[in-house]
Amino acid sequence: MTRYYNGYEQHLVALDCIVFGFDEGELKLLVLKRKFEPAKGEWSLMGGFLGKSESLDEAACRILSQLTGLSNIYMKQLLVFSDVARDPGARTISVAYYALIKIDENDRLLAETYGAEWVPIKQLPPLIFDHSQMVEKALEALRRRTSREPIGFELLPVKFTLPQLQSLYESICGELLDKRNFRKQILETGLLVKLDEKEKESSKKGAFLYKFDHNKYNSYVEKGFLFQLKVKSGHIIKGNNSLQV
Amino acid sequence: MTRYYNGYEQHLVALDCIVFGFDEGELKLLVLKRKFEPAKGEWSLMGGFLGKSESLDEAACRILSQLTGLSNIYMKQLLVFSDVARDPGARTISVAYYALIKIDENDRLLAETYGAEWVPIKQLPPLIFDHSQMVEKALEALRRRTSREPIGFELLPVKFTLPQLQSLYESICGELLDKRNFRKQILETGLLVKLDEKEKESSKKGAFLYKFDHNKYNSYVEKGFLFQLKVKSGHIIKGNNSLQV
DNA sequence: AGCCACAAGTGTAAAAGATACACTTAAAAA
DNA sequence: TTTTTAAGTGTATCTTTTACACTTGTGGCT
């Protein structure tokens, strides 16, 4: 096939996936102990190599599904890392992808089956090579994208409560948000459907479940509507029954 | 060197540069007629291949400088294009970069020397392969980034007038802006330095020249300041001496 | 049965920011 | 001297964002 472009260098093209999940009110990352040399046994992202007859998007899906059994996952290309010496095993370039996973929906044990582990993002161990940089960049991208597109829902179960959603946004942007303002804003989009069920795990009163209306969102997008969540300057919420006279 | 990772496919890694310039009040793109097969003679972006001992950023700079003589240019990685059949010449993946150039500063003839041409973005000819898609994505990225970072200045000469700057922003976002609001907003940042000189090409009165204060910007950024230009819903400006009773 | 503890849920007023808008000024050309 | 052209300037209205505190529902405890 390579009739043209003779004489140019060929390269190993790796892929690494930054896999985000949200569980127990925390943003988490899926990491695993590397099973081969070099750096065998150290913590790393999920990775693999680009094959002959697949696009990068296809390869990213393949790798994620081989290593976790998951499919039909939100994935996005992030950035290529290409320092000449980034991987001591060989000269490789690595295309980083990030993925958003609904942890609840999938068997939480699945990860362990494959030797992977969900680690809170605040307690990440050191990762091999430039993987920590990749995580850093992925977090920035996630923050940016979250405020422009309704991708937060990819991290929650199909049915979720508003307190859950708020907590998710707070974990992503690293700031507390005002409950009333948050609700007002998110409900104003008209994209959430209130269900008749309540979730009662996290409180006695229970919180109503909602669904995100993908169809409505898509038709809005076609009409030029822009999802925008102003998740900027949150503040510590005070004055909640902390004083009693 | 490749002691590890044996048996994995190697790939040709191309780079393509979307080179933006701003001239005669228009956003322009640098394109050239391809000098080799396949698709010889057709319009394409500037491209090349990743070498053995260079990072992608280095390669992108090298390619731009080989093909235009320019160096010290703002460049940013955009996205990798990797469809299996994207290039009929061979299976390649291509990392797209976009660059912002101050056309005035550099010899405008330079382009021609190298067989390249500045084409207004609204009159782009069809480009080979997936290059038109790349341009599309680059424009989106430029629009997004322009509103979050002061990169517009990379497209203007070091000294510029406010009408020039406004016209640049209008070309990028594709909408007319209100003169007074634009000036207020951009001057409020405190990042423009008014000079004592006037530029008198485009009007009899002449417009004052300004410089962008990079140092100040950098120190602001360290303090957490965020550049934000709200360049959203512009409108057609009416009422300017168009009626005379 | 009643009380307590806990998180869910709800509205409004003040402040900040964005928008719309029209005339004056400077200087070259006629 | 007049005309023409684009540069330059301020304010009032509207919209959006922010700050803020009490009531409700329910399970568990006594």
Side-chain angles (χ1 to χ4, degrees), chain B residues 6-127:
Chain B
N6 294 315
Y8 290 107
E9 198 69 24
Q10 307 221 129
H11 301 267
L12 283 166
V13 177
L15 291 96
D16 288 295
C17 301
I18 297 100
V19 183
F20 291 103
F22 183 69
D23 196 22
E24 300 165 332
E26 276 187 308
L27 200 57
K28 295 187 178 178
L29 220 63
L30 195 58
V31 293
L32 45 72
K33 293 222 162 150
R34 211 163 128 106
K35 297 204 184 59
F36 46 89
E37 292 293 350
K40 183 169 174 174
E42 293 180 42
W43 289 108
S44 95
L45 297 171
M46 239 159 236
F49 287 94
L50 177 64
K52 198 189 183 88
S53 32
E54 58 182 358
S55 68
L56 284 164
D57 286 0
E58 286 158 3
C61 291
R62 170 179 59 76
I63 287 165
L64 190 62
S65 108
Q66 278 174 3
L67 294 183
T68 66
L70 302 172
S71 63
N72 226 266
I73 293 297
Y74 179 95
M75 293 193 85
K76 205 90 187 173
Q77 196 191 113
L78 177 64
L79 202 63
V80 192
F81 290 76
S82 62
D83 273 8
V84 174
R86 56 171 295 280
D87 182 335
R91 205 276 149 109
T92 61
I93 68 171
S94 174
V95 185
Y97 271 75
Y98 63 96
L100 306 183
I101 286 191
K102 306 180 203 293
I103 297 190
D104 305 8
E105 264 191 11
N106 307 292
D107 189 353
R108 217 162 301 193
L109 300 174
L110 204 62
E112 286 169 33
T113 316
Y114 289 89
E117 208 164 299
W118 286 106
V119 182
I121 201 125
K122 311 218 165 191
Q123 295 154 42
L124 270 193
L127 303 178

Side-chain angles (χ1 to χ4, degrees), chain B residues 84-225:
Chain B
V84 174
R86 56 171 295 280
D87 182 335
R91 205 276 149 109
T92 61
I93 68 171
S94 174
V95 185
Y97 271 75
Y98 63 96
L100 306 183
I101 286 191
K102 306 180 203 293
I103 297 190
D104 305 8
E105 264 191 11
N106 307 292
D107 189 353
R108 217 162 301 193
L109 300 174
L110 204 62
E112 286 169 33
T113 316
Y114 289 89
E117 208 164 299
W118 286 106
V119 182
I121 201 125
K122 311 218 165 191
Q123 295 154 42
L124 270 193
L127 303 178
I128 60 165
F129 309 167
D130 45 9
H131 286 198
S132 299
Q133 261 183 69
M134 292 181 180
V135 172
E136 194 52 47
K137 288 284 182 189
L139 250 177
E140 287 170 22
L142 179 62
R143 288 198 179 115
R144 272 198 311 264
R145 190 162 289 267
T146 293
S147 69
R148 281 186 298 116
E149 283 175 43
I151 59 172
F153 307 100
E154 304 293 336
L155 288 163
L156 292 175
V158 176
K159 299 174 183 181
F160 54 87
T161 68
L162 292 186
Q164 276 169 17
L165 185 62
Q166 177 174 351
S167 153
L168 168 62
Y169 274 97
E170 287 174 342
S171 316
I172 291 176
C173 70
E175 282 174 331
L176 293 178
L177 302 172
D178 180 89
K179 195 172 21 165
R180 279 171 289 189
N181 294 341
F182 177 79
R183 284 169 166 257
K184 199 192 313 173
Q185 200 184 159
I186 197 85
L187 290 175
E188 250 168 20
T189 64
L191 294 171
L192 296 195
V193 181
K194 186 174 185 174
L195 306 177
D196 275 336
E197 308 165 62
K198 279 192 167 185
E199 188 279 332
K200 313 202 77 169
E201 302 252 318
S202 57
S203 89
K204 289 156 189 172
K205 182 176 178 181
F208 278 101
L209 288 163
Y210 287 78
K211 277 198 310 192
F212 178 72
D213 191 336
H214 282 89
N215 291 338
K216 200 164 183 183
Y217 174 65
N218 290 333
S219 72
Y220 278 18
V221 168
E222 282 170 23
K223 288 179 202 140
F225 159 92

